[in-house]
Amino acid sequence: STKMDLLHSNGVLIIQHLQRDYRAYQDFLNFMSHVGDPRNIFSIYFPLWFQLNQVVGTKMIWVAVIGDWFNLIFKWILFGHRPYWWVQETMIYPNHSSPCLEQFPITCETGPGSPSGHAMGSSCVWYVMVTAALSYTVRWKDKSAVTLHRLTWSFLWSIFWIIQISVCISRVFIATHFPHQVILGVFAGILVAEAFEHTPAIQTASLRMYIKTNLFLFIFALGFYLSLKLLDIDLLWSVPKAKKWCANPDWINIDTTPFAGLVRNLGALFGLGLGINSDMFIISCKGKNSRKISFRVLCIAASLATLQLYNLVKIPTHTEYLFYILSFCKSAAMPLTVVALVPYCVHSLMTTTEKKLN
């Protein structure tokens, strides 16, 4: 439509301005784009928070998975273009004089562009972290503590918005999103996170509930995709556009396709459910050692180190269905490691050491 073309063309002007005038900050902006990557939730934020507060860690995974699922559905409904291919195909520029937008190795996302998954995932998880941190200070009653709470509130929310704005600018700078797409992503992420502030049932969910939730999310997404395909609407329309207009074919990554994100998130949720409902979790994270600072620090360090090793494992991409199956397994292994395997090993090590000392 004319209004959407105008919105896109104004967005292109902003991207050109950023790429021209913020060149000196290119490395920082690329770094902030990585900070907003939803995959960091599983490999960095979750291992840290789960050992500090299991309620917050559990909520973080649920928020990330459900938020990314809604992001996928919204992308399929909104049919949002990405700047790096839109400028090549639009007819609004006279004499085919389309603007030149620079691309980067992380530019060539293959899914639709609206809302931004990075912005939505970042706002989701940081909202959970900030509200969790503030929940510790809100109970302070004396006058000086109330003042400190207000200062802490201002500081943490300032950090929150600085990070969100930086992630948004970085996604626009690399020409993978228009400004309105990242703004929509931020506020959609906040809404999802706020909804889970009032959903305590996830903390006591059984393995059966995790499996039912996984099946519902998968069947709904697949059913939505197949239903529209029967109506001759291809929800994977963005993939060939990305392959056609990406400046370097090596920058196209199957991990950015819509179904890759869905499988990754379902795997993470299943792994969390499996871990929390396992005997290893009950023995270690609910046992006497779980209250020790040394236990938590060792679990955090071992979890982070192990997950970095997981990230070194590259899944073969030559067969798409095999990639999805292995991606599910790898994603399930990550929270299972954090929740059950690593704590159980640390617990066993500490118990053995205590027996030797006694």
Side-chain angles (χ1 to χ4, degrees):
S1 66
T2 304
K3 288 183 178 179
M4 189 56 70
D5 284 340
L6 181 62
L7 188 63
H8 285 158
S9 62
N10 287 334
V12 168
L13 291 176
I14 293 173
I15 295 170
Q16 287 182 304
H17 167 69
L18 290 174
Q19 291 189 344
R20 182 182 65 249
D21 297 339
Y22 287 78
R23 174 68 56 197
Y25 304 101
Q26 177 180 329
D27 291 340
F28 171 74
L29 292 173
N30 284 334
F31 170 74
M32 289 309 300
S33 191
H34 286 296
V35 167
D37 192 330
R39 284 168 289 197
N40 288 334
I41 298 170
F42 308 118
S43 61
I44 298 175
Y45 304 135
F46 172 65
L48 284 169
W49 272 96
F50 188 81
Q51 297 303 333
L52 295 174
N53 188 315
Q54 292 170 11
V55 172
V56 178
T58 302
K59 185 194 300 182
M60 189 176 290
I61 292 290
W62 277 90
V63 166
V65 170
I66 301 300
D68 211 45
W69 183 83
F70 273 116
N71 182 264
L72 171 65
I73 301 301
F74 288 153
K75 283 180 185 294
W76 280 347
I77 292 173
L78 297 176
F79 283 81
H81 290 275
R82 293 187 184 271
Y84 76 93
W85 76 58
W86 181 83
V87 293
Q88 303 292 341
E89 297 191 343
T90 182
M91 303 300 292
I92 70 167
Y93 297 107
N95 303 321
H96 303 288
S97 56
S98 58
C100 180
L101 298 181
E102 185 175 355
Q103 296 183 25
F104 302 87
I106 56 176
T107 296
C108 299
E109 299 269 351
T110 58
S114 187
S116 165
H118 280 64
M120 192 167 173
S122 176
S123 63
C124 266
V125 70
W126 280 93
Y127 189 92
V128 170
M129 288 193 289
V130 169
T131 53
L134 289 175
S135 69
Y136 288 106
T137 64
V138 76
R139 293 187 289 269
W140 297 343
K141 298 298 182 184
D142 59 272
K143 196 170 183 179
S144 60
V146 170
T147 303
L148 182 59
H149 168 70
R150 288 174 180 171
L151 290 172
T152 305
W153 188 95
S154 300
F155 173 74
L156 290 179
W157 283 117
S158 296
I159 294 295
F160 173 85
W161 284 111
I162 288 170
I163 290 173
Q164 303 322 310
I165 291 169
S166 299
V167 169
C168 289
I169 291 174
S170 72
R171 301 302 287 171
V172 174
F173 174 84
I174 63 174
T176 200
H177 284 295
F178 291 103
H180 70 277
Q181 295 173 342
V182 292
I183 293 171
L184 179 60
V186 168
F187 287 102
I190 291 174
L191 286 175
V192 171
E194 179 60 29
F196 275 88
E197 290 293 315
H198 311 285
T199 314
I202 60 173
Q203 301 298 334
T204 56
S206 63
L207 180 58
R208 178 177 291 184
M209 179 57 69
Y210 276 91
I211 293 173
K212 284 182 177 179
T213 304
N214 256 14
L215 287 173
F216 171 78
L217 296 178
F218 178 73
I219 291 171
F220 186 97
L222 184 62
F224 188 74
Y225 169 78
L226 294 176
S227 297
L228 290 184
K229 195 169 185 179
L230 289 174
L231 298 175
D232 205 26
I233 300 175
D234 182 15
L235 292 179
L236 299 181
W237 60 273
S238 59
V239 177
K241 288 183 181 292
K243 291 179 178 179
K244 181 178 180 180
W245 297 115
C246 184
N248 186 338
D250 293 336
W251 294 347
I252 296 289
N253 191 342
I254 190 175
D255 203 27
T256 66
T257 58
F259 278 112
L262 175 66
V263 169
R264 183 172 59 246
N265 288 311
L266 294 182
L269 189 62
F270 176 72
L272 176 66
L274 204 60
I276 281 182
N277 290 280
S278 68
D279 290 337
M280 286 189 291
F281 170 76
I282 295 170
I283 292 170
S284 56
C285 293
K286 295 294 184 181
K288 61 177 183 178
N289 284 328
S290 63
R291 292 183 290 273
K292 297 178 179 178
I293 298 296
S294 57
F295 173 81
R296 296 185 181 189
V297 170
L298 283 171
C299 285
I300 290 172
S303 295
L304 289 172
T306 305
L307 294 187
Q308 298 316 306
L309 293 177
Y310 281 2
N311 288 332
L312 296 177
V313 178
K314 301 302 179 184
I315 300 174
T317 59
H318 58 274
T319 305
E320 193 168 353
Y321 292 111
L322 177 63
F323 172 83
Y324 290 146
I325 293 171
L326 294 178
S327 180
F328 178 89
C329 295
K330 179 181 177 182
S331 299
M334 295 177 79
L336 182 61
T337 298
V338 174
V339 170
L341 297 178
V342 165
Y344 183 76
C345 291
V346 172
H347 168 79
S348 300
L349 180 64
M350 291 180 70
T351 303
T352 303
T353 305
E354 287 174 359
K355 287 181 179 178
K356 286 182 179 179
L357 292 174
N358 293 331

